[in-house]
């Protein structure tokens, strides 16, 4: 185990001593390695088993594996050549037992298959689940015995929690030391000047050789002692980190530091009192001198921790959570006072055809797709239900070649993961294509599996509006058709409401029998065919609108305003058009601007729409509910989702937003490749939101191109945006690589709601469109807001 991780992993308090010793013993065992069986679904060949040795590499935070050399195994496993590894930082969860699609298949196997899988039991099975942005399938493994399984499960769970809790600075230094070990080809534990130069090039750094040598010598503190290292002309790990920090000198931060510091002899120092002034004037933060003293102690790099040196101040702006563009409070806490409005007053994170991991025609259906969506804060998932064999309903995209999964397996997963990310209500949007018998089966599974989590109470006669998310905490609601109040048994549905309506009008004329048992568990999300804006529906009536129908409504200013009024009281669900067989997404902002609550996206698609969706729902602790502004909640207020908005400026002022793009750090190469030309980055700045803003050409701007510098490009360019409807606006920063011969490539992005932005000098970590964080890649910006009534 490397020294850094050992310090982090092992708790210091005496109460945790026994636990820490147990963890250490298991880590030591797993570093040596054990035999495990990997389970894979090979399609027509069925499930196959591969016996391999797996071991932990704590130096590089990897799980290595290599194939078993002897092809004869007791399980008749297929054996493949080669070896590989998994990054511990890509693992988000460890599950024991049968809790994945593959293990569900094994659990459902007939007795004829028992011999083949005789060693696979719930006591020896476990699965590693990877982050959605890693684009990796789960890894299903089987140990020789329960003791070995538990050792892997406990150790990996501990490491996953530990890695998630790392500070930005510790994470950054582990990243640097990993780069050091990669560059140390001969495993000497040192890097010479040529190795450092090669590493810099690999990290997208173009630096003059003389400057490199000067910084190398400055960091090489033991150079004068040849006995301590080979000729003294090399850097060890810690010296390399020092070298790297010196290489990263940030002139734009040095300027800020000097402005708020006092000169003491040859150096400048920022006292806690001066830091207080900086935080108040620039960052618009309210802190005390005592808090500033604590900040200095936490981030100052020198031995004397009574005031900031420029290195300590740089570390503060680089690594303090509070200096990010989105405040840690927004990311980690729910605004309880905003969670008491009716459900119709919120934007709700929603998924379309949640079960699919690929396209709409031949993609895989997966229980894990539901788990992934729920872990991302999704609060409305779709279940496309059809009759299955042996009386068990199945979920898949009807009349296509997508694979099928059991309805009951999905409900089991929902029970486990519904409230892992958020305590607020989960909506099950059921597309019902089942017979009465299998609808009854669905109802039975929902009631027996979900138990008290399922909200089954009826609507009281004196209720006038939907209940609040706070009232429905940790409850699951079913969105489906209901029978009329006077129905005593199963009955026909004469107004079928389905996602297929948009492209097959004949389906609207078909009648569909509805099970009374299923109908009885539908309450506040009663799906009905949209009757038109002239008919006032009940507050609990909810209609779905296809993409083309939504566009048509929003293209007419009169019906667009009607839609806003409808959405103040009732819930609407918007879904992508039927022609999007590739699982692409419709533009998400326009329906939000009209107050549509449930705008369903294909979560499996890496695109701008999912990027903006994450920006919308990152705040409020990622709970999946964001309170809409007052003009989207109060039908008496003048507002139009088309241009012009018609808002009363005394109540809803415009915003003069200043965005200064100061610099970038560690800008990656395209697709994250480690070799190739150094990038020529520039930043595109765009405002998404109300048509008054998104259609304004002045809200689409960009920086100059910086040649050959992905390490620390400096722009220092200021842009001003006059935002008409800031409550609906998003700032989208996109870093691209200028190409002289082809198309400019996307290197990373950052998007945030304008209302969630902190002012001052802020750090924005870049992500790709899958949501994968590209740390330490970031932009350093300055934000100023001025409200204009």
């Amino acid at each position: 185990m490397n020294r850094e991780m050992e310090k982090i992993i092992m708790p210091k308090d005496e109460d945790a001593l026994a636990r820490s010793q147990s963890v250490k013993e298991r880590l030591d065992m797993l570093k040596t390695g054990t035999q495990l069986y990997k389970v894979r679904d090979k399609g027509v060949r069925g499930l196959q088993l591969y016996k391999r040795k797996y071991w932990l590499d704590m130096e590089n935070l990897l799980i290595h594996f290599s194939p078993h050399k002897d092809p004869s195994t007791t399980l008749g496993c297929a054996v493949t050549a080669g070896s590989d590894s998994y990054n511990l930082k890509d693992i988000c969860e460890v599950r024991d037992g049968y809790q994945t699609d593959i293990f569900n298949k094994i659990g459902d196997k007939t007795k004829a298959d028992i011999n083949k899988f005789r060693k696979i039991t719930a006591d020896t099975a476990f699965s590693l689940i990877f982050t959605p942005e890693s684009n990796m399938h789960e890894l299903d493994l089987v140990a020789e015995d329960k003791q070995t399984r538990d050792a892997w499960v406990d150790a990996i769970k501990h490491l996953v929690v530990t890695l998630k809790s790392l500070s930005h600075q510790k994470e950054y230094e582990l990243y640097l030391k990993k780069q050091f070990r990669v560059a140390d080809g001969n495993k000497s534990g040192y890097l010479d000047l040529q190795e450092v130069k090669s590493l810099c090039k690999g990290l997208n750094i173009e630096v003059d050789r003389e400057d490199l040598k000067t910084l190398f010598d400055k960091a090489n503190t033991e150079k004068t002692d040849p006995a301590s290292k080979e000729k003294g002309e090399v850097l060890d790990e810690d010296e390399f980190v020092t070298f790297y920090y010196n290489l990263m000198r940030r002139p734009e931060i040095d300027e800020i530091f000097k402005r708020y510091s006092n000169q003491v002899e040859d150096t400048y120092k920022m006292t806690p009192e001066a830091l207080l002034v900086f935080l108040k004037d620039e960052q618009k933060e309210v802190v005390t001198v005592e808090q500033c003293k604590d900040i200095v102690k936490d981030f100052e790099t020198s031995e004397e921790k009574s005031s900031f040196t420029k290195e300590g101040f740089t570390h503060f702006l680089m690594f303090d959570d509070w200096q990010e563009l989105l405040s840690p409070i927004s990311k980690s806490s729910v605004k309880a006072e905003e969670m008491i409005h009716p459900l119709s007053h919120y934007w709700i994170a929603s998924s379309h055809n949640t079960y699919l991991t690929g396209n709409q025609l031949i993609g895989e259906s997966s229980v894990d797709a539901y788990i992934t969506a729920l872990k991302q804060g999704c609060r409305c998932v779709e279940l496309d239900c059809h009759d299955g064999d042996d009386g068990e309903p199945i979920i898949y995209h009807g009349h296509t070649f997508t694979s099928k999964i059991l309805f009951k397996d999905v409900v089991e997963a929902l029970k486990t993961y519904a409230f892992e990310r958020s305590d607020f209500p989960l909506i099950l949007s059921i597309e019902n294509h089942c017979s009465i018998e299998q609808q009854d089966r669905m109802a039975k599974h929902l009631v027996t599996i979900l138990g008290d989590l399922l909200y089954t109470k009826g609507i009281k006669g004196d209720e006038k509006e939907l209940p609040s998310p706070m009232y429905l905490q940790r409850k699951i609601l079913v969105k489906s058709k209901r029978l009329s109040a006077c129905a005593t048994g199963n009955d026909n549905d004469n107004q079928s409401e389905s996602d297929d309506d948009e492209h097959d009008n004949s389906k609207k004329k078909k009648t569909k029998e509805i099970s009374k048992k299923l109908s009885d568990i539908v309450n506040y999300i009663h799906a009905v065919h949209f009757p038109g804006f002239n008919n006032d529906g009940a507050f609990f009536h909810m209609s779905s609108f296809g993409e083309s129908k939504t566009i048509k409504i929003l293209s007419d200013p009169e019906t667009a305003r009607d839609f806003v009024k409808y959405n103040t009281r009732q819930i609407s669900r918007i879904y992508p058009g039927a022609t999007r067989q590739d699982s692409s997404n419709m533009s998400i902002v326009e329906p939000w601007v009209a107050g549509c609550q449930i705008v369903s996206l294909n979560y499996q698609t890496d695109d701008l729409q999912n990027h903006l969706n994450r920006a919308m729902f990152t705040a409020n602790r990622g709970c999946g509910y964001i309170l809409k502004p007052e003009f989207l909640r109060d039908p008496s207020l003048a507002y139009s989702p088309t241009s012009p908005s018609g808002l009363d400026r005394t109540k809803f002022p415009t915003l003069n937003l200043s965005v200064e793009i100061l610099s970038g750090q560690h800008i990656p190469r395209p697709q994250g490749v480690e070799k190739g030309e150094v990038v020529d980055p520039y930043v595109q700045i765009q405002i998404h939101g109300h048509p008054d803003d998104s259609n304004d050409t002045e809200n689409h701007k960009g920086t100059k191109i910086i040649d050959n510098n992905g390490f620390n490009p400096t722009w220092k360019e200021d842009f001003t945006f006059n935002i008409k409807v800031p409550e609906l606006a998003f700032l989208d920063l996109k870093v691209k690589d200028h190409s002289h011969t082809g198309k400019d490539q996307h290197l990373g992005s950052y998007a945030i709601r304008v209302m969630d932005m902190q002012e001052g000098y802020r750090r924005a970590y870049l992500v790709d469109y899958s949501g994968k964080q590209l740390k330490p890649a970031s932009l350093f910006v300055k934000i100023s807001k001025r409200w204009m009534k």
Side-chain angles (χ1 to χ4, degrees):
M1 184 185 306
N2 75 48
R3 297 191 308 274
E4 299 301 321
M5 282 305 296
E6 190 167 10
K7 290 177 189 174
I8 297 166
I9 288 170
M10 297 307 167
K12 297 178 181 178
D13 56 293
E14 294 181 4
D15 291 342
L17 181 60
R19 179 168 55 85
S20 68
Q21 290 299 321
S22 174
V23 170
K24 186 178 186 305
E25 288 171 6
R26 291 180 173 185
L27 287 173
D28 288 342
M29 181 187 84
L30 300 182
K31 282 190 286 182
T32 303
T34 71
Q35 297 291 335
L36 299 173
Y37 295 93
K38 178 180 179 180
V39 189
R40 291 190 63 190
D41 188 346
K42 302 297 287 185
V44 293
R45 291 170 53 198
L47 299 178
Q48 300 293 322
L49 303 165
Y50 301 83
K51 188 174 184 179
R52 292 171 168 170
K53 181 179 180 180
Y54 289 77
W55 68 97
L56 275 179
D57 174 359
M58 293 302 297
E59 286 289 326
N60 298 298
L61 301 178
L62 298 172
I63 299 174
H64 291 286
F65 65 87
S66 61
H68 193 269
K69 301 298 182 184
D70 182 1
S72 61
T73 70
T74 56
L75 294 180
C77 303
V79 176
T80 60
S83 64
D84 215 329
S85 61
Y86 298 96
N87 195 320
L88 285 168
K89 293 181 72 173
D90 287 333
I91 300 172
C92 63
E93 182 188 0
V94 187
R95 301 178 196 160
D96 53 13
Y98 293 168
Q99 296 192 63
T100 62
D101 295 328
I102 284 180
F103 280 136
N104 282 335
K105 287 182 180 180
I106 291 175
D108 293 332
K109 287 291 178 184
T110 62
K111 292 181 180 179
D113 300 297
I114 286 178
N115 282 338
K116 184 176 181 180
F117 303 109
R118 64 185 180 277
K119 277 201 171 183
I120 303 180
T121 68
D123 286 338
T124 59
F126 69 103
S127 304
L128 304 183
I129 310 302
F130 299 93
T131 58
E133 57 270 18
S134 70
N135 291 318
M136 295 173 64
H137 287 294
E138 63 274 8
L139 176 62
D140 295 301
L141 298 167
V142 181
E144 294 282 3
D145 52 56
K146 184 176 186 298
Q147 182 180 5
T148 303
R149 192 279 305 269
D150 290 347
W152 277 101
V153 169
D154 292 347
I156 302 301
K157 279 183 177 179
H158 186 82
L159 289 170
V160 168
V161 171
T162 300
L163 289 170
K164 284 181 180 177
S165 67
L166 290 181
S167 68
H168 290 307
Q169 183 169 353
K170 184 61 65 178
E171 188 176 7
Y172 185 66
E173 292 184 1
L174 286 174
Y175 160 80
L176 294 182
K177 292 184 178 184
K178 177 184 176 183
Q179 302 306 318
F180 177 96
R181 290 189 290 274
V182 170
D184 183 18
N186 61 3
K187 307 302 179 188
S188 67
Y190 306 112
L191 298 184
D192 60 26
L193 182 62
Q194 185 56 45
E195 287 175 315
V196 170
K197 183 178 179 181
S198 298
L199 176 54
C200 286
K201 186 175 181 181
L203 292 174
N204 229 352
I205 306 169
E206 194 77 27
V207 60
D208 179 81
R209 182 178 176 84
E210 289 186 11
D211 292 340
L212 186 73
K213 182 69 166 65
T214 300
L215 292 171
F216 183 95
D217 290 342
K218 184 178 179 181
N220 190 10
T221 55
E222 296 181 23
K223 181 180 178 182
T224 56
D225 182 6
S228 66
K229 295 184 294 190
E230 298 177 11
K231 300 178 182 178
E233 296 287 347
V234 289
L235 303 182
D236 63 21
E237 267 192 3
D238 292 329
E239 288 172 334
F240 174 71
V241 171
T242 301
F243 161 83
Y244 206 86
Y245 278 133
N246 290 333
L247 183 65
M248 274 193 67
R249 275 282 18 104
R250 302 273 297 275
E252 73 281 12
I253 293 181
D254 291 348
E255 289 178 17
I256 305 166
F257 174 77
K258 193 171 182 180
R259 200 180 332 156
Y260 285 90
S261 299
N262 298 316
Q263 188 170 1
V264 181
E265 297 180 354
D266 300 2
T267 61
Y268 283 85
K269 298 275 188 177
M270 182 186 287
T271 64
E273 291 76 14
L275 176 61
L276 178 69
V277 175
F278 166 76
L279 292 174
K280 178 184 175 184
D281 292 353
E282 302 286 2
Q283 309 298 79
K284 314 302 181 189
E285 294 179 18
V286 179
V287 293
T288 65
V289 172
E290 289 303 315
Q291 288 173 311
C292 289
K293 288 179 180 178
D294 290 337
I295 290 171
V296 172
K297 287 178 184 177
D298 288 340
F299 292 98
E300 176 51 41
T301 57
S302 68
E303 298 266 336
E304 175 57 53
K305 297 185 182 293
S306 61
S307 58
F308 266 147
T309 59
K310 65 180 179 181
E311 289 80 13
F313 183 65
T314 300
H315 277 222
F316 166 63
L317 288 182
M318 282 179 62
F319 301 125
D320 181 39
D321 286 347
W322 284 94
Q323 306 319 306
E324 292 189 34
L325 197 46
L326 178 66
S327 82
I329 287 184
S330 294
K331 287 193 289 187
S332 62
S333 62
V334 171
K335 296 179 180 178
E337 71 277 8
E338 291 188 358
M339 304 304 291
I340 57 175
H341 295 260
L343 285 178
S344 57
H345 287 187
Y346 296 85
W347 290 301
I348 304 172
S350 309
S351 164
H352 174 63
N353 287 356
T354 313
Y355 47 91
L356 288 179
T357 60
N359 66 48
Q360 310 285 309
L361 293 177
I362 59 173
E364 287 289 317
S365 302
S366 170
V367 175
D368 269 304
Y370 286 93
I371 297 172
T372 297
L374 293 172
K375 285 185 172 184
Q376 293 181 67
C378 183
R379 294 290 82 196
C380 179
V381 297
E382 184 175 3
L383 295 82
D384 203 344
C385 305
H386 300 262
D387 282 353
D389 297 332
D390 302 321
E392 282 296 340
I394 56 174
I395 292 175
Y396 82 110
H397 199 202
H399 314 295
T400 69
F401 296 102
T402 58
S403 60
K404 303 172 175 66
I405 53 178
L406 290 175
F407 177 84
K408 67 176 181 180
D409 287 345
V410 171
V411 179
E412 289 280 6
L414 296 176
K415 177 184 179 181
T416 303
Y417 292 93
F419 302 107
E420 180 174 299
R421 177 69 185 271
S422 170
D423 284 336
F424 295 101
L426 174 66
I427 299 169
L428 308 186
S429 179
I430 292 181
E431 287 292 316
N432 180 10
H433 306 280
C434 291
S435 62
I436 289 293
E437 292 74 22
Q438 296 211 14
Q439 287 182 55
D440 286 347
R441 189 75 171 169
M442 287 164 56
K444 180 179 179 182
H445 287 321
L446 289 168
V447 171
T448 57
I449 294 173
L450 297 180
D452 291 341
L453 295 178
L454 185 67
Y455 189 85
T456 58
K457 295 180 181 179
I459 300 170
K460 298 176 183 177
D462 60 349
E463 289 186 77
K464 304 293 186 208
E465 60 184 17
L466 290 166
S468 69
M470 190 67 79
Y471 176 80
L472 292 169
Q473 276 192 98
R474 300 189 68 80
K475 293 298 180 184
I476 296 175
L477 302 175
V478 173
K479 171 240 143 186
S480 189
K481 301 291 291 185
R482 264 188 67 89
L483 296 172
S484 63
C486 58
T488 56
N490 305 322
D491 204 348
N492 288 333
D493 166 24
N494 293 315
Q495 289 185 312
S496 177
E497 184 264 356
S498 165
D499 280 5
D500 296 324
D501 287 355
E502 183 170 82
H503 60 94
D504 189 353
N505 289 327
S506 65
K507 297 195 176 188
K508 295 181 183 178
K509 300 174 183 177
K510 295 180 180 179
T511 59
K512 179 75 181 178
E513 277 197 300
I514 299 176
S515 152
K516 186 174 188 305
K517 291 180 180 178
L518 186 60
S519 172
D520 285 347
I521 57 177
V522 176
N523 35 55
Y524 290 114
I525 318 289
H526 176 181
V528 300
H529 181 71
F530 179 58
F533 292 122
N534 293 327
N535 297 289
D536 288 335
F539 67 88
F540 52 84
H541 282 174
M542 175 261 196
S543 295
S544 293
F545 301 82
E547 181 176 351
S548 61
K549 190 174 195 176
T550 303
I551 292 172
K552 183 179 180 181
I553 291 172
L554 296 180
S555 63
D556 182 316
E558 184 176 348
T559 56
R561 286 191 294 272
D562 289 338
F563 208 8
V564 171
K565 182 179 179 182
Y566 172 95
N567 287 321
T568 62
R569 184 167 174 267
Q570 295 172 250
I571 291 178
S572 62
R573 173 177 167 269
I574 315 300
Y575 59 90
T579 59
R580 296 184 180 275
Q581 301 295 341
D582 59 351
S583 293
S584 59
N585 285 304
M586 63 182 291
S587 178
I588 196 172
V589 175
E590 287 84 348
W592 280 341
V593 167
C596 299
Q597 300 86 354
I598 297 176
V599 186
S600 301
L601 290 183
N602 291 297
Y603 268 43
Q604 72 273 30
T605 302
D606 303 339
D607 62 5
L608 173 63
Q609 306 312 318
N610 270 302
H611 181 57
L612 294 175
N613 193 63
R614 285 186 288 270
M616 168 67 89
F617 293 105
T618 296
N620 212 24
R621 205 179 66 191
C623 75
Y625 284 82
I626 298 291
L627 184 66
K628 296 188 290 186
E630 187 179 1
F631 56 79
L632 288 177
R633 294 182 274 130
D634 184 348
S636 69
L637 295 176
Y639 168 73
S640 172
T642 61
S643 188
S645 68
L647 287 169
D648 177 357
R649 292 305 172 192
T650 62
K651 190 174 179 65
F652 302 104
T654 63
L655 175 67
N656 185 276
L657 177 69
S658 170
V659 179
E660 186 176 2
I661 308 295
L662 292 163
S663 62
Q665 292 75 45
H666 298 285
I667 305 301
R669 291 184 175 89
Q671 284 83 50
V673 297
E674 295 185 1
K675 295 182 179 180
E677 294 295 319
V678 175
V679 297
D680 305 326
Y682 65 97
V683 184
Q684 291 180 338
I685 308 104
Q686 184 171 351
I687 302 296
H688 301 277
H690 190 278
D692 281 353
D693 296 314
S694 57
N695 295 340
D696 185 347
T697 57
E698 291 298 310
N699 286 341
H700 302 251
K701 300 181 180 182
T703 67
K704 60 179 179 286
I705 297 163
I706 303 295
D707 293 330
N708 293 322
N709 190 348
F711 177 59
N712 58 353
T714 299
W715 289 281
K716 289 189 178 178
E717 294 186 59
D718 199 356
F719 303 92
T720 301
F721 302 91
N722 183 21
I723 303 178
K724 310 291 195 309
V725 191
E727 296 86 352
L728 303 177
F730 294 81
L731 173 68
D732 185 16
L733 305 174
K734 180 183 289 187
V735 183
K736 302 187 80 170
D737 178 24
H738 174 66
S739 172
H740 297 282
T741 57
K743 183 180 179 182
D744 291 358
Q745 297 209 54
H746 183 199
L747 303 178
S749 286
Y750 183 89
I752 184 172
R753 290 178 68 217
V754 166
M755 300 299 287
D756 292 334
M757 292 165 55
Q758 297 195 100
E759 292 188 77
Y761 294 95
R762 300 295 175 183
R763 188 175 68 247
Y765 284 115
L766 299 181
V767 298
D768 64 18
Y769 276 172
S770 74
K772 179 180 180 180
Q773 289 200 345
L774 303 177
K775 283 184 180 180
S778 62
L779 293 175
F780 187 53
V781 301
K782 184 182 181 184
I783 302 296
S784 299
K785 297 180 180 180
R786 189 158 55 96
W787 296 96
M788 313 288 289
K789 290 192 176 182

